[in-house]
Amino acid sequence: MLLTGQIPWTGLITVFLIIVIIIIFARGVVIVQPYEQGLQIRLGQYIGRMNPGFRWVVPLITVVKKLDLRTEVMDVPRQEVITKDNSPTNVDAIVYVRVIDPEKAYFEVMNYRSATVALAQTSLRGIIGDMELDEVLYNRDVINARLRDILDRETDAWGVKVERVEIKEVDPVGAVKQAMTEQTAAERERRAAILRADGEKRAAILRAEGSRQSIILEAEGERQSKILRAEGERLSRILQAQGEAQGLRILSVGARPLDRRAITVLSLDALKQMAEGQATKIIFPFELSSVVKQAAEYLGATAEAPDVPEGTELPSEDILGEIPGRDVVRTAEEAVKSIETDINVEMQKKSRDLIGKGEEEGL
């Protein structure tokens, strides 16, 4: 009876031991992800790295530390920094880091994340403290490059690679921001005043240039017009004188074969026409007694007109030139009017173009 009562206890102990062995064995199982690297430490001694995959270590006496090898984003907290020109400014940043040496990242520094962020804060404060506010606002790339170089150099001993640093925001305090706003407004007003003055100057220059060109064109047109008028008057006087000369020539040629009787008749007819006028005074351009004598001789037929000697040569009728016809005179007048019209139209067009260009530049 004693032996049969001891069998159940032995089975329970066996089952318990098997379960304990399974649990201990299970605690030795380690799964390392593809983006991780494991560090195996046994009884306080570093054994080596563990590559990704399914691994088993001696349980209870072995500790495995896993480190993520992917790029991590660390936010540098916002802090107030005094620039070189004593302008308080709030600055924050972002740091991108990656573990490249798991042994150093775990054994050389207690927490590489907090250490990197603290180093970024102090380095950023020193960099901005050596720069003026305008340089901080306009040279963010320079700040990023300098901060990245400092962090990369210092974190190399921790097995951490700083890949990139970006300044998120540079925000001056209220009083500084207000002063910057006023300065910007004043600068823009100054530029606007300069642009307005320059525009007015250019508009005035263009208007003056347009006026000068207009005066020059008007003077040129007036000169051409005077030249054409003088040419027309000269041609008119020449034609008038030529016509008068030809008329006298015709009278001379026609009167040469007349005798004194015919001349007397013409003289008396002229006296008759003068007497029929309304004038109270009549001036005779010749001696009246000779006319009366000639009339008496004509009536008494006591004198005869001398004949023209034979062989006397009459003047040539070609000495005064060819008489111009109406078509020639009309063509000359139309050419003069056309030239004057073209000159006036061209002057008005150029004047309008110059004035319009000056007004556009002024606007």
Side-chain angles (χ1 to χ4, degrees):
M1 293 299 293
L2 181 61
L3 293 174
T4 57
Q6 292 178 350
I7 293 175
W9 291 102
T10 304
L12 293 175
I13 293 172
T14 303
V15 173
F16 177 75
L17 292 176
I18 293 173
I19 294 174
V20 170
I21 292 172
I22 293 174
I23 293 174
I24 293 174
F25 181 82
R27 292 194 61 179
V29 176
V30 178
I31 297 177
V32 181
Q33 299 297 332
Y35 52 84
E36 293 179 336
Q37 189 76 49
L39 301 179
Q40 185 177 359
I41 303 172
R42 184 180 301 165
L43 298 176
Q45 185 179 359
Y46 175 64
I47 303 301
R49 295 186 183 184
M50 296 183 67
N51 294 324
F54 178 82
R55 297 290 183 269
W56 187 84
V57 297
V58 178
L60 301 179
I61 62 174
T62 304
V63 179
V64 178
K65 296 295 183 182
K66 300 177 183 179
L67 282 82
D68 196 332
L69 302 182
R70 294 176 296 181
T71 300
E72 300 182 46
V73 181
M74 299 180 181
D75 190 7
V76 180
R78 187 184 184 92
Q79 59 180 335
E80 184 174 326
V81 182
I82 304 298
T83 61
K84 187 177 181 180
D85 54 352
N86 298 324
S87 298
T89 305
N90 296 317
V91 183
D92 54 359
I94 296 177
V95 181
Y96 297 85
V97 300
R98 182 168 58 89
V99 176
I100 59 175
D101 192 340
E103 288 87 353
K104 291 183 178 180
Y106 185 76
F107 296 113
E108 297 296 333
V109 62
M110 182 177 294
N111 190 337
Y112 70 89
R113 294 182 178 86
S114 60
T116 303
V117 172
L119 181 61
Q121 282 184 306
T122 56
S123 301
L124 183 61
R125 188 182 298 111
I127 292 172
I128 294 181
D130 293 336
M131 302 175 65
E132 295 183 355
L133 181 58
D134 293 339
E135 295 177 353
V136 174
L137 295 174
Y138 300 142
N139 297 324
R140 292 194 178 187
D141 293 338
V142 176
I143 299 174
N144 295 337
R146 291 179 59 183
L147 184 58
R148 184 186 66 247
D149 294 340
I150 294 174
L151 294 178
D152 191 33
R153 183 175 61 253
E154 297 297 332
T155 58
D156 185 63
W158 304 337
V160 177
K161 173 68 176 177
V162 178
E163 295 181 343
R164 189 173 181 180
V165 178
E166 291 292 338
I167 300 296
K168 288 177 60 178
E169 185 179 4
V170 178
D171 185 19
V173 297
V176 178
K177 186 181 295 186
Q178 183 178 359
M180 292 175 61
T181 303
E182 294 177 355
Q183 180 181 1
T184 303
E187 180 65 21
R188 292 186 180 277
E189 291 179 359
R190 184 183 68 85
R191 293 180 182 179
I194 292 174
L195 291 176
R196 283 195 296 269
D198 185 67
E200 293 176 358
K201 174 185 174 183
R202 295 181 61 184
I205 292 174
L206 290 176
R207 283 195 294 271
E209 183 67 20
S211 299
R212 187 177 69 87
Q213 292 291 338
S214 177
I215 293 173
I216 292 174
L217 291 175
E218 290 178 359
E220 182 66 22
E222 186 177 356
R223 185 179 70 86
Q224 292 291 340
S225 178
K226 289 182 179 179
I227 292 174
L228 292 175
R229 290 197 199 94
E231 184 67 22
E233 292 177 0
R234 184 181 70 86
L235 180 61
S236 176
R237 290 178 182 177
I238 291 174
L239 293 176
Q240 184 178 0
Q242 190 175 12
E244 292 177 355
Q246 288 179 351
L248 293 176
R249 174 60 181 152
I250 292 172
L251 291 175
S252 175
V253 173
R256 179 170 293 277
L258 296 177
D259 55 6
R260 291 184 178 181
R261 294 179 181 179
I263 295 173
T264 302
V265 172
L266 293 175
S267 300
L268 293 175
D269 186 60
L271 290 174
K272 179 181 178 181
Q273 293 178 358
M274 294 173 63
E276 290 177 355
Q278 299 297 327
T280 57
K281 294 182 180 180
I282 300 175
I283 300 175
F284 296 96
F286 46 81
E287 187 178 357
L288 184 61
S289 59
S290 61
V291 176
V292 174
K293 182 179 179 181
Q294 291 179 3
E297 292 178 355
Y298 170 71
L299 294 174
T302 57
E304 295 180 356
D307 297 331
V308 178
E310 295 183 0
T312 302
E313 295 183 359
L314 298 177
S316 177
E317 297 181 2
D318 298 334
I319 60 174
L320 297 179
E322 184 180 356
I323 299 175
R326 294 183 177 179
D327 296 336
V328 176
V329 176
R330 187 180 297 108
T331 302
E333 292 177 352
E334 291 178 354
V336 171
K337 293 180 179 179
S338 177
I339 293 173
E340 291 180 350
T341 303
D342 293 341
I343 291 174
N344 293 330
V345 171
E346 185 67 21
M347 287 172 54
Q348 294 176 359
K349 181 180 179 181
K350 290 185 178 180
S351 178
R352 287 195 300 267
D353 293 341
L354 291 173
I355 293 173
K357 184 177 180 183
E359 292 177 352
E360 291 179 358
E361 293 291 338
L363 294 176

